[in-house]
C-alpha cells in the first residue's frame, strides 16, 4: 500500500476503501520526536550545499536505442508472417484423418504450422507416440507439425499441452482421465525441447486464471470448427493488466482435415513473425522474449514494440520510451487501437479511414509502469490482437507473481 504508482499512496497519504491514513504524518512526527534530545543538546543544524550544476540532458537518439519487438529482418525486406492452427485431432484420439492428411490440408489452406490437440480422454500412450513420430516425419523447414493433447482438470479447466513427447502419468489422472488438482501437469524440458501449456475456453473458466501458475500462452478465442464457442477477450485484458503478459493464441477444435479447410478463412489464427515457422514454439512457450506472436482473422501487425522500454525513470536519458506500431490489410483498415491493460481502456485510438497501411510512433514518459497491446480492425470487421509490451522500471515496478 506504500507504492505511489500501484496503490495511489494509500498508506502514506490517501487512505483506502473510504478509510483515511496518515502514514506520512506519522513518520514525520516520529522523526521530530526522535530528534528532540539532539536538538535540545545543540546538535544538528546541517545545511545541504547547493546541488552541482548539470547540463541539460541531450535529446535521445532513438536510432541508437534497442527496439524490443518485431520488424524487418536485418537483410532488409518485409518480416515473414506464418499462420497456423492449434487444436486438430486425428485418429489418435476422437478425430479423423492422419497427420499426413492434415498437413496436406493445412498447406493447401495457406498455413505454415499445425498443433495437434488429441483428446486425452480418448487416446493412450501408444497412439500418442505414433502422433509424435508422424509429426517429426512431416515437419520440414517450411512447415511445422507439433504433437499435443487437450486435458481437462477436476475443476473444469481445459488445458492444451504441446511440443511434449509423452502423456501425463496415470498417478496424475482421475479414472475418467482428468488432471488432478492441485497435482497438475507441468510441461518443461523434454526430448522435443520446451513444452508449452495453454488455456482454452478462457471466458468460461470456472475460476480466475490468476490462480494457475504454469501456463505459457492463452487462447483468447476458442472455436469448434468455424463456430466461436468461447470469447475470452475480457479475461485476457484483465490478466495483462496483472502482468501475466502471456502471448495470445486461438484454439480451434477440428476433427477432420476438410473441417480445417472450412475453418481457416473464418477464425482467428495464431501468427508467428520470424525466420521460419519453427519460431512458433519458442514464442508460445515464452522462451523467446518478447514473443513475436499475434492472432488475426484479417489484418496484419507488421511492427509492434517499444524503444527504450526497460529503463529507470531517474536515469539521465531514461525518462522516455517510444511506442511503434505498423499494421496493414489488403481490404483496408478501419481502426487501430493501443490498449492500456492496467486501466482496460484505449491508450490511443486512430481512425484508419480505410487506408491499406498504418504507421504510428508515440513518445511517452516512464512516469508509470505501462502494459500495452494493439487491436487492429479492418473494414470487414476482422481483427488482429498483438502481445502485451511492458515497460520495466526495475526497482520501481510491481512484480508479477512468477518473477
Amino acid at each position: 500500500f506504500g507504492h505511489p504508482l500501484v496503490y495511489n499512496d494509500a498508506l502514506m497519504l490517501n487512505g483506502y476503501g473510504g478509510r483515511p491514513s496518515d502514514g506520512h504524518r506519522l513518520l514525520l512526527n516520529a522523526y521530530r520526536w526522535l530528534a528532540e534530545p539532539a536538538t535540545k543538546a545543540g546538535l544538528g543544524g546541517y545545511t545541504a550545499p547547493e546541488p552541482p550544476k548539470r547540463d541539460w540532458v541531450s535529446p535521445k537518439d532513438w536510432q541508437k536505442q534497442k527496439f524490443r519487438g518485431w520488424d524487418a529482418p536485418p537483410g532488409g525486406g518485409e518480416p515473414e508472417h506464418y499462420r497456423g492452427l492449434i487444436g486438430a485431432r486425428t485418429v489418435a484420439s476422437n478425430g479423423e484423418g492422419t497427420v499426413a492428411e492434415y498437413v496436406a490440408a493445412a498447406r493447401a489452406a495457406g498455413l505454415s504450422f499445425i498443433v495437434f490437440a488429441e483428446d486425452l480422454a480418448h487416446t493412450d500412450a501408444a497412439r500418442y507416440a505414433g502422433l509424435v513420430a508422424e509429426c517429426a516425419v512431416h515437419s520440414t523447414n517450411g512447415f511445422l507439425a507439433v504433437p499435443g493433447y487437450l486435458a481437462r482438470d477436476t475443476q473444469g479447466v481445459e488445458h492444451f499441452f504441446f511440443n511434449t513427447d509423452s502423456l501425463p502419468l496415470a498417478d496424475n489422472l482421475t479414472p475418467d482421465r482428468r488432471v488432478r488438482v492441485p497435482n497438475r501437469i507441468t510441461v518443461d524440458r523434454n526430448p522435443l525441447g520446451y513444452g508449452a501449456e495453454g488455456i482454452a475456453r478462457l471466458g468460461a473458466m470456472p475460476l480466475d486464471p490468476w490462480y494457475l501458475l504454469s501456463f505459457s500462452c492463452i487462447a483468447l478465442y476458442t472455436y469448434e470448427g468455424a463456430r466461436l464457442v468461447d470469447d475470452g477477450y475480457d479475461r485476457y485484458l484483465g490478466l495483462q493488466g496483472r502482468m501475466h503478459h502471456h502471448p495470445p493464441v486461438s484454439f480451434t477444435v477440428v476433427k477432420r482435415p476438410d473441417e480445417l479447410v472450412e475453418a481457416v478463412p473464418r477464425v482467428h489464427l495464431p501468427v508467428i513473425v520470424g525466420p521460419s515457422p519453427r519460431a512458433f514454439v519458442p514464442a508460445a512457450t515464452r522462451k523467446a522474449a518478447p514473443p513475436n506472436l499475434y492472432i488475426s482473422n484479417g489484418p496484419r501487425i507488421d511492427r509492434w514494440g517499444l524503444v527504450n522500454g526497460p529503463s529507470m525513470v531517474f536515469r539521465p536519458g531514461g525518462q522516455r520510451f517510444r511506442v511503434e506500431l505498423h499494421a496493414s490489410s489488403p481490404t483496408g483498415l478501419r481502426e487501430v487501437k493501443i490498449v492500456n491493460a492496467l486501466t482496460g481502456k484505449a491508450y490511443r485510438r486512430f481512425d484508419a479511414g480505410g487506408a491499406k497501411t498504418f504507421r504510428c510512433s508515440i513518445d511517452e514518459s516512464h512516469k508509470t509502469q505501462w502494459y500495452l497491446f494493439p487491436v487492429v480492425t479492418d473494414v470487414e470487421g476482422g481483427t488482429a490482437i498483438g502481445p502485451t509490451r511492458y515497460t520495466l522500471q526495475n526497482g520501481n515496478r510491481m512484480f508479477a507473481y512468477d518473477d
Side-chain angles (χ1 to χ4, degrees):
F1 281 121
H3 198 293
L5 302 178
V6 179
Y7 296 110
N8 194 31
D9 265 330
L11 174 64
M12 302 300 288
L13 299 172
N14 298 317
Y16 183 78
R19 299 180 179 180
S21 178
D22 295 314
H24 186 255
R25 183 184 299 176
L26 173 65
L27 289 177
L28 291 179
N29 289 342
Y31 297 151
R32 292 191 185 98
W33 176 74
L34 290 170
E36 280 182 3
T39 302
K40 291 178 180 179
L43 301 177
Y46 172 78
T47 301
E50 288 292 325
K53 293 184 178 180
R54 299 183 183 276
D55 295 331
W56 289 99
V57 177
S58 59
K60 180 172 291 298
D61 185 348
W62 292 107
Q63 299 300 320
K64 295 181 179 179
Q65 305 305 310
K66 184 177 181 180
F67 176 73
R68 291 174 59 83
W70 67 77
D71 195 8
E78 293 296 320
E80 294 293 335
H81 293 240
Y82 299 99
R83 299 188 307 155
L85 180 141
I86 305 172
R89 296 181 190 171
T90 71
V91 293
S93 61
N94 59 346
E96 301 176 16
T98 64
V99 171
E101 292 169 339
Y102 267 105
V103 169
R107 283 180 174 272
L111 302 185
S112 298
F113 64 90
I114 184 170
V115 179
F116 293 94
E118 304 294 354
D119 193 330
L120 182 61
H122 297 278
T123 191
D124 55 38
R127 285 188 286 174
Y128 188 77
L131 175 77
V132 173
E134 287 186 63
C135 285
V137 169
H138 293 284
S139 291
T140 64
N141 290 334
F143 191 91
L144 179 66
V146 184
Y149 60 91
L150 175 74
R152 300 167 186 84
D153 69 24
T154 54
Q155 292 181 323
V157 179
E158 293 194 4
H159 313 254
F160 53 96
F161 299 87
F162 58 93
N163 204 50
T164 179
D165 68 331
S166 60
L167 298 178
L169 298 175
D171 290 347
N172 290 324
L173 302 177
T174 63
D176 62 350
R177 297 182 68 75
R178 289 178 177 266
V179 176
R180 297 183 187 276
V181 177
N183 295 319
R184 297 173 53 254
I185 309 301
T186 299
V187 179
D188 204 347
R189 187 74 182 175
N190 69 86
L192 300 181
Y194 281 101
E197 176 188 350
I199 303 298
R201 298 183 186 268
L202 179 65
M205 275 185 63
L207 67 139
D208 190 332
W210 173 266
Y211 296 109
L212 301 179
L213 298 179
S214 65
F215 61 101
S216 52
C217 57
I218 306 175
L220 274 72
Y221 304 114
T222 301
Y223 299 87
E224 290 181 356
R227 182 170 63 93
L228 179 67
V229 296
D230 185 88
D231 184 339
Y233 176 85
D234 288 342
R235 269 193 160 166
Y236 176 79
L237 173 61
L239 285 172
Q240 300 313 290
R242 289 185 284 177
M243 294 169 295
H244 270 243
H245 48 79
H246 294 83
V249 297
S250 60
F251 188 79
T252 306
V253 178
V254 290
K255 295 184 178 181
R256 304 185 313 273
D258 64 304
E259 193 176 18
L260 177 147
V261 175
E262 294 173 4
V264 163
R266 300 167 61 187
V267 303
H268 284 85
L269 296 171
V271 183
I272 182 64
V273 183
S276 79
R278 293 184 180 275
F280 167 74
V281 171
T285 55
R286 299 175 69 194
K287 302 304 177 185
N292 295 341
L293 183 61
Y294 68 97
I295 62 171
S296 177
N297 63 352
R300 286 198 354 169
I301 299 176
D302 296 305
R303 177 179 171 91
W304 167 239
L306 306 179
V307 182
N308 201 38
S311 185
M312 300 295 278
V313 67
F314 49 78
R315 179 185 300 159
Q319 297 92 342
R320 305 192 67 79
F321 68 98
R322 178 170 285 184
V323 182
E324 298 198 354
L325 172 61
H326 299 175
S328 62
S329 170
T331 61
L333 297 166
R334 185 176 73 197
E335 179 185 82
V336 177
K337 180 169 60 176
I338 301 174
V339 178
N340 182 351
L342 281 175
T343 64
K345 300 178 181 179
Y347 164 70
R348 291 288 190 277
R349 179 184 283 113
F350 302 92
D351 182 352
K356 300 295 180 66
T357 61
F358 170 87
R359 294 188 174 193
C360 74
S361 180
I362 305 168
D363 288 3
E364 184 53 85
S365 167
H366 277 294
K367 60 188 177 184
T368 187
Q369 187 90 24
W370 294 93
Y371 297 89
L372 305 171
F373 67 88
V375 179
V376 179
T377 305
D378 64 25
V379 295
E380 296 181 345
T383 57
I385 301 175
T388 299
R389 297 291 189 242
Y390 62 99
T391 58
L392 177 62
Q393 296 181 17
N394 295 330
N396 190 35
R397 71 175 289 222
M398 182 174 70
F399 284 88
Y401 74 92
D402 59 350
D403 280 346

